[in-house]
Amino acid sequence: MKIIYEDNHIIVVDKAPGEIVQGDKTGDKPLSEIIKQYLKDKYNKPGNVFCGVVHRIDRPVGGVVVFAKTSKALTRLNEMLRKGEIHKTYWALVEGHPAEKDATLKNFLVSDGRINKTFVADKNNKDAKESILKYKTIADGDRYSLLEINLLTGRKHQIRCQLAAAGHPIKGDLKYGAKRSNKNGSISLLARRIEFIHPVSKEKIELEASLPDEFLKFIPSSAD
């Protein structure tokens, strides 16, 4: 577990691909429980330790994840998330080269929880939700492009589904049409940056995840 920020109210982790944020049917130990144990050990806390999950990113995705150490912080962060006051920026390596280097994608999406997958649907589908993201191309390679992505809505697997629907699945994302897997089972999507006003101190918080080697190799060193 790599901690990149901690104070009395929040703790922010640079999640590695493969780690899970919250418990699931696999039974693998999630970051929320690892953090509880860390806090218990570091501060010699008796009894139960509080760790609130503010938001999640998919298991094969790496990057910045925020947890709350107090119920007050969790309540305020949840409200900020609902109001769109927590700004998240993603980076992705995608197959091919988008014709538009800077664009907005709009789709209606529906998720099927039975197979844990999201699909583009007709807007008249009663379960479909409008989903919007903006991207810009940071760099082009021979087979892949590096995109910076900002979500205007927060749907399950939104980035993965919308980019695949646009003909540019994320590198390694077999579930959404990538040609081959990544060796470590990850997908080349990174929760790169998060920005928000601290729920208690009201200071501006800006934090970034470290860049995996495949991203570093893809861009000039000055871009990091």
Side-chain angles (χ1 to χ4, degrees):
M1 181 177 69
K2 182 180 179 182
I3 297 169
I4 55 176
Y5 180 89
E6 182 183 358
D7 63 22
N8 290 335
H9 297 279
I10 63 175
I11 184 167
V12 185
V13 173
D14 187 351
K15 179 180 109 59
E19 292 180 321
I20 52 174
V21 173
Q22 207 167 16
D24 64 9
K25 61 185 179 183
T26 66
D28 294 339
K29 193 169 186 177
L31 279 171
S32 56
E33 292 300 320
I34 294 171
I35 290 171
K36 283 182 182 180
Q37 189 62 51
Y38 157 80
L39 295 173
K40 191 176 182 69
D41 294 344
K42 181 176 181 180
Y43 300 105
N44 296 313
K45 285 180 173 285
N48 292 327
V49 176
F50 184 88
C51 176
V53 176
V54 178
H55 63 108
R56 287 170 285 187
I57 56 178
D58 298 338
R59 184 166 193 162
V61 178
V64 183
V65 186
V66 180
F67 296 87
K69 291 171 64 175
T70 63
S71 56
K72 176 166 72 172
L74 180 62
T75 299
R76 292 180 181 179
L77 285 165
N78 283 339
E79 181 67 7
M80 290 162 63
L81 196 65
R82 188 183 68 80
K83 291 179 177 179
E85 295 172 353
I86 297 177
H87 304 288
K88 293 177 280 186
T89 304
Y90 292 81
W91 281 17
L93 285 175
V94 300
E95 294 183 1
H97 306 97
E100 293 183 87
K101 299 300 183 187
D102 188 335
T104 299
L105 300 181
K106 295 183 180 181
N107 300 96
F108 283 84
L109 303 183
V110 61
S111 291
D112 186 338
R114 294 169 299 176
I115 58 172
N116 192 32
K117 191 172 181 180
T118 297
F119 300 88
V120 172
D122 186 274
K123 67 179 180 180
N124 294 318
N125 184 318
K126 64 180 177 62
D127 296 320
K129 295 179 179 178
E130 187 174 29
S131 305
I132 307 169
L133 66 77
K134 291 184 176 181
Y135 74 82
K136 66 178 180 180
T137 303
I138 298 174
D140 286 314
D142 292 337
R143 290 184 296 159
Y144 300 101
S145 298
L146 177 60
L147 307 184
E148 182 174 276
I149 300 149
N150 286 286
L151 291 171
L152 276 71
T153 55
R155 314 299 184 204
K156 183 178 177 65
H157 291 187
Q158 180 180 340
I159 296 173
R160 300 167 67 179
C161 181
Q162 286 196 273
L163 290 176
H168 302 285
I170 294 169
K171 179 178 177 291
D173 196 0
L174 297 180
K175 177 171 279 195
Y176 287 94
K179 291 184 175 68
R180 57 186 63 84
S181 62
N182 288 342
K183 288 182 180 179
N184 64 356
S186 71
I187 65 173
S188 301
L189 177 63
L190 178 71
R192 171 63 168 155
R193 185 183 308 116
I194 197 161
E195 302 168 57
F196 59 96
I197 301 301
H198 193 286
V200 181
S201 71
K202 304 306 178 185
E203 295 176 13
K204 186 171 185 180
I205 304 292
E206 297 180 272
L207 298 166
E208 286 190 339
S210 56
L211 287 175
D213 287 345
E214 65 174 349
F215 287 85
L216 286 170
K217 292 174 184 175
F218 198 83
I219 58 175
S221 58
S222 60
D224 184 10

